[in-house]
Amino acid sequence: MVLNRFFISVFIRVSLISISGVVLGIIIQHLNQGYFYTLAGLIFLIFFQAYLLVNYVNKTNSDLDKFFSSVQDHDSSIRFTESKSDDSFRKLRIRMNHVNTLIQRVKLENEKSAQFLKSVVDHIDSGLLSIDLNGEIKIFNQAAKKYFNVLQPVKLSALGSIDEELPAIVNSIQSGQEILHKVRMGNGSQSILVKATGLKTEESVIRLVSLQDITGELDKKEMDSWQKIIRVLTHEIMNSISPITSLTRVISGYFRQKDTGDPIPLKMINDQVVAKTLTGLNTIEETGRGLLDFVDKFRSLSSLPEPSLSTFAIESLFGKCIILMGSDLSEDIEIIAEVSPDDLELKADYAMVEQVLINLIRNAGQALEKRKNGKIHLNASYCDGGILIQVEDNGYGIPKEIAEDIFVPFFTTRKNGTGIGLSLSRQIMQNHNGSISVNSDPGNGSMFSLKFPA
């Protein structure tokens, strides 16, 4: 409708100019008869009509230019006159004003959302900051300020800190990585878990870094671990000490009188008493040796050497482990190895990782002893910026009630088990800044996952 009115208005003006031009042509042919004033008036009329046409079009273009400029500059305060009832663009101005009102409303909603988001970010207990590729900080909440001693830094290089190492960690941490760091706060310390994730927008890539105080959770985990270790140690030591105490009492009874407790005469010590005594002492010696072996194994958990890092192909590591374990596993058990990509390499301590894999393969083989068509899958691939190695079997799985205890030192459900294999594996993974976890479905098998950082 608006365009129709515009077309009619322009058509009328162009038609009037055309008519005036025709009349002007006729008059020019009769100049010999006079009409000089009429000629001047027609020329003036044509120029005046052309001026009105250009002004009319320019006025419309000016309104449109103002409207689109205001949209481009995010200025929704401009308003266009709507009072002229004979104006063919009145409805267009009404619609432009309506669009400006909508833009203003959206801006207010966005500002409210931004304020709400800022309030939420400032309210959470974890420190939060976002960093773009140029090192500029966009988000920096209240919780982050107590760790860096800065009100609102603009650049990552401007971060101060109560702890000098924390800014360096934030600067170097990669997306998907987690770093546990202790920070001195007042008279105590806090365990801070620093995590990073990458967010890709249309303009750039943003790294979102969070700092979470997990001191309470770690203290609780540490207490639970100590209680489990003490429970296992108490069980093992009591199993060794109780027979020794009981056997010592029996042997002592061979050489004491039952009624008075005095030593028996030497003439009453016969070959049978000596034989029983020697048998008891041998049993005490074997039990004591077993207890010493137990303590030595416990000591090996606390004195694990630092990893000697080297880069090696995981495919060759899998191949060696399969050869080493081939003779220990039943012929019914099949080991399948998959590495994606084929040339995937790992930077770690080769011997330690091999020890972990052998232990997991041995455990998987034991879980498949009474299973037909037993299979062990070894998988390696990239995962969350790191490398993931998985050992999966289709055995009987791990009961839920003991799944949390399998990594506790000396915890075992097997008659001849030592209970240090999985706890040693976990310590090796921790020394590599990695992790070990298990996912088991009782009756359908188990899968152990080794995650190494990039």
Side-chain angles (χ1 to χ4, degrees):
M1 187 66 180
V2 172
L3 292 176
N4 288 338
R5 288 184 179 179
F6 177 76
F7 173 76
I8 292 171
S9 298
V10 172
F11 179 77
I12 292 173
R13 284 173 167 79
V14 172
S15 298
L16 291 175
I17 294 174
S18 299
I19 294 171
S20 300
V22 172
V23 174
L24 178 63
I26 295 172
I27 292 176
I28 290 176
Q29 294 177 0
H30 298 83
L31 282 178
N32 54 352
Q33 301 177 9
Y35 304 110
F36 293 105
Y37 292 104
T38 304
L39 177 64
L42 280 174
I43 293 174
F44 173 78
L45 181 62
I46 290 173
F47 277 103
F48 181 69
Q49 288 175 338
Y51 167 77
L52 291 178
L53 176 60
V54 173
N55 185 60
Y56 177 75
V57 174
N58 284 342
K59 184 178 181 183
T60 304
N61 290 340
S62 177
D63 287 343
L64 290 174
D65 181 66
K66 288 180 182 179
F67 171 73
F68 288 115
S69 295
S70 66
V71 172
Q72 184 178 0
D73 297 336
H74 306 286
D75 180 13
S76 57
S77 61
I78 189 170
R79 284 293 180 267
F80 300 94
T81 305
E82 305 173 2
S83 59
K84 296 181 180 179
S85 58
D86 59 339
D87 191 350
S88 61
F89 278 85
R90 180 173 177 273
K91 286 189 177 182
L92 178 61
R93 293 191 180 97
I94 292 174
R95 291 178 183 177
M96 288 192 295
N97 287 336
H98 180 65
V99 171
N100 270 336
T101 302
L102 290 178
I103 293 174
Q104 190 172 21
R105 190 178 302 167
V106 171
K107 284 178 60 179
L108 290 174
E109 291 296 330
N110 288 340
E111 289 178 3
K112 288 180 182 179
S113 299
Q115 289 296 326
F116 176 75
L117 178 62
K118 186 177 183 303
S119 299
V120 171
V121 170
D122 284 336
H123 180 72
I124 60 177
D125 294 331
S126 301
L128 195 67
L129 61 155
S130 66
I131 309 160
D132 63 14
L133 294 175
N134 297 322
E136 294 185 2
I137 297 176
K138 302 297 183 182
I139 298 176
F140 194 79
N141 69 346
Q142 294 291 334
K145 294 178 182 178
K146 69 178 182 180
Y147 297 121
F148 295 102
N149 196 26
V150 179
L151 292 179
Q152 188 62 51
V154 177
K155 286 281 190 178
L156 184 60
S157 57
L159 286 181
S161 180
I162 299 173
D163 183 276
E164 295 181 355
E165 297 180 13
L166 194 54
I169 292 175
V170 172
N171 188 31
S172 61
I173 190 171
Q174 300 298 316
S175 178
Q177 189 178 2
E178 296 183 1
I179 299 177
L180 183 62
H181 179 65
K182 280 197 173 184
V183 178
R184 300 289 302 180
M185 302 290 289
N187 296 325
S189 64
Q190 290 182 350
S191 296
I192 306 299
L193 181 64
V194 185
K195 296 192 294 185
T197 184
L199 301 174
K200 190 173 183 179
T201 65
E202 294 181 357
E203 299 178 353
S204 64
V205 177
I206 296 175
R207 186 156 46 98
L208 189 64
V209 180
S210 65
L211 302 95
Q212 184 179 3
D213 181 10
I214 57 171
T215 306
E217 289 80 357
L218 287 181
D219 289 344
K220 185 177 183 302
K221 288 283 186 182
E222 184 178 4
M223 184 60 67
D224 291 342
S225 298
W226 275 113
Q227 289 177 349
K228 291 177 181 178
I229 291 175
I230 291 172
R231 184 168 65 248
V232 172
L233 289 176
T234 303
H235 175 74
E236 293 294 331
I237 292 174
M238 289 300 295
N239 283 347
S240 299
I241 296 297
S242 295
I244 291 176
T245 304
S246 177
L247 193 55
T248 303
R249 189 183 304 110
V250 173
I251 294 175
S252 178
Y254 295 156
F255 300 93
R256 293 183 184 276
Q257 299 180 12
K258 293 183 180 180
D259 50 354
T260 62
D262 296 330
I264 62 174
L266 293 176
K267 60 182 179 179
M268 297 181 62
I269 301 176
N270 52 33
D271 293 341
Q272 186 178 6
V273 172
V274 173
K276 288 182 178 179
T277 301
L278 290 175
T279 302
L281 291 175
N282 287 336
T283 304
I284 292 174
E285 181 183 4
E286 291 177 0
T287 307
R289 192 181 295 114
L291 186 59
L292 288 174
D293 184 58
F294 171 81
V295 173
D296 187 61
K297 290 177 180 177
F298 182 81
R299 184 175 59 186
S300 68
L301 287 175
S302 59
S303 59
L304 197 66
E306 288 295 321
S308 177
L309 302 181
S310 63
T311 302
F312 53 88
I314 297 180
E315 188 175 20
S316 65
L317 173 65
F318 280 176
K320 183 178 179 182
C321 291
I322 292 174
I323 293 174
L324 290 174
M325 296 302 300
S327 58
D328 290 349
L329 299 178
S330 171
E331 295 180 355
D332 297 332
I333 299 176
E334 180 185 6
I335 302 181
I336 303 172
E338 295 181 7
V339 180
S340 179
D342 296 338
D343 59 349
L344 183 61
E345 293 183 333
L346 176 66
K347 187 175 183 180
D349 189 305
Y350 186 94
M352 288 185 177
V353 177
E354 180 186 66
Q355 183 179 2
V356 173
L357 286 177
I358 288 177
N359 180 64
L360 294 179
I361 295 173
R362 181 180 289 112
N363 289 349
Q366 292 172 347
L368 294 168
E369 285 178 351
K370 298 180 181 179
R371 197 85 160 183
K372 293 183 179 179
N373 300 321
K375 292 184 179 180
I376 300 175
H377 289 266
L378 305 179
N379 297 290
S381 61
Y382 287 111
C383 179
D384 297 333
I387 293 177
L388 180 67
I389 297 178
Q390 294 176 316
V391 180
E392 184 179 6
D393 65 73
N394 61 339
Y396 291 96
I398 303 172
K400 293 182 179 180
E401 58 270 16
I402 67 170
E404 294 183 358
D405 297 326
I406 61 173
F407 294 105
V408 176
F410 308 105
F411 177 86
T412 181
T413 57
R414 298 191 179 97
K415 188 175 181 179
N416 298 322
T418 61
I420 66 168
L422 289 178
S423 58
L424 187 64
S425 299
R426 183 174 66 173
Q427 188 168 343
I428 288 174
M429 292 304 299
Q430 289 175 345
N431 287 352
H432 282 81
N433 295 320
S435 64
I436 179 171
S437 60
V438 61
N439 183 16
S440 181
D441 183 11
N444 295 313
S446 303
M447 181 173 65
F448 285 83
S449 300
L450 309 176
K451 186 174 182 181
F452 295 86

